[in-house]
Amino acid sequence: MWTSTQAQNGLLGCGVVLDWSTHGIGHELTAFFGLVHAETLAIVLPSLWKYEIDNKGKKLSQMAERVWGIKEGDTKQKAAAAIMQTAAFFNSIDMPTTLKHYGITQKDTEKIVNRFAERGVPIGENRDIDAKAVEKILKMCL
């Protein structure tokens, strides 16, 4: 509960740019398919990081070193390793990282892509995740 409180009270985000795009996509998975929020985060986060690896590579590389103890490789290699380790961790605690696990197909995800297209407001800290990006990210989640 303490960790959750810290994550949600905004203090950790003071002075830094925040990216809530995983949550935004996840909320739509909940709305359309009834998945709980933790399930949606475990599905979307690794794929979103892969999609954004060029923008998030330095932070993911830092995560690789500090969280997973990965010291070998260049920034992009360590970033990719951090993504793989995070997905492996999710799977190790029985949190599947694919839409397929929940019976959700690419055709099903069109509802979510259409919702983002209707809104027309890109998400992410760089405001670079629009409906087309969401479509690509969800394909990676399959």
Side-chain angles (χ1 to χ4, degrees):
M1 286 189 308
W2 178 250
T3 302
S4 186
T5 299
Q6 293 305 307
Q8 294 299 315
N9 70 14
L11 290 176
L12 296 176
C14 288
V16 297
V17 177
L18 300 174
D19 178 8
W20 289 91
S21 53
T22 301
H23 291 269
I25 298 168
H27 286 289
E28 298 300 334
L29 286 168
T30 297
F32 283 110
F33 307 109
L35 290 120
V36 298
H37 196 49
E39 291 169 331
T40 70
L41 299 180
I43 294 166
V44 175
L45 187 64
S47 294
L48 186 129
W49 280 349
K50 287 177 191 172
Y51 181 81
E52 288 279 290
I53 198 163
D54 290 333
N55 294 327
K56 297 180 182 295
K58 288 181 183 176
K59 278 295 184 186
L60 287 167
S61 176
Q62 187 180 66
M63 178 186 175
E65 292 181 17
R66 294 181 181 178
V67 175
W68 301 115
I70 299 166
K71 306 286 186 204
E72 302 298 317
D74 62 23
T75 299
K76 198 163 191 174
Q77 290 168 329
K78 286 190 281 187
I83 296 165
M84 287 179 29
Q85 285 293 114
T86 302
F89 170 72
F90 289 156
N91 286 303
S92 78
I93 59 170
D94 294 325
M95 289 298 297
T97 54
T98 66
L99 293 169
K100 174 178 62 175
H101 178 85
Y102 297 97
I104 300 169
T105 67
Q106 183 174 340
K107 178 83 172 146
D108 294 327
T109 64
E110 290 174 9
K111 299 173 194 175
I112 295 171
V113 174
N114 290 338
R115 176 77 56 94
F116 278 93
E118 288 167 7
R119 287 188 190 128
V121 179
I123 58 176
E125 75 269 30
N126 298 313
R127 297 288 183 234
D128 59 346
I129 299 177
D130 58 9
K132 289 183 185 208
V134 169
E135 181 177 29
K136 290 176 185 175
I137 292 164
L138 289 173
K139 281 182 184 177
M140 295 167 70
C141 293
L142 294 167

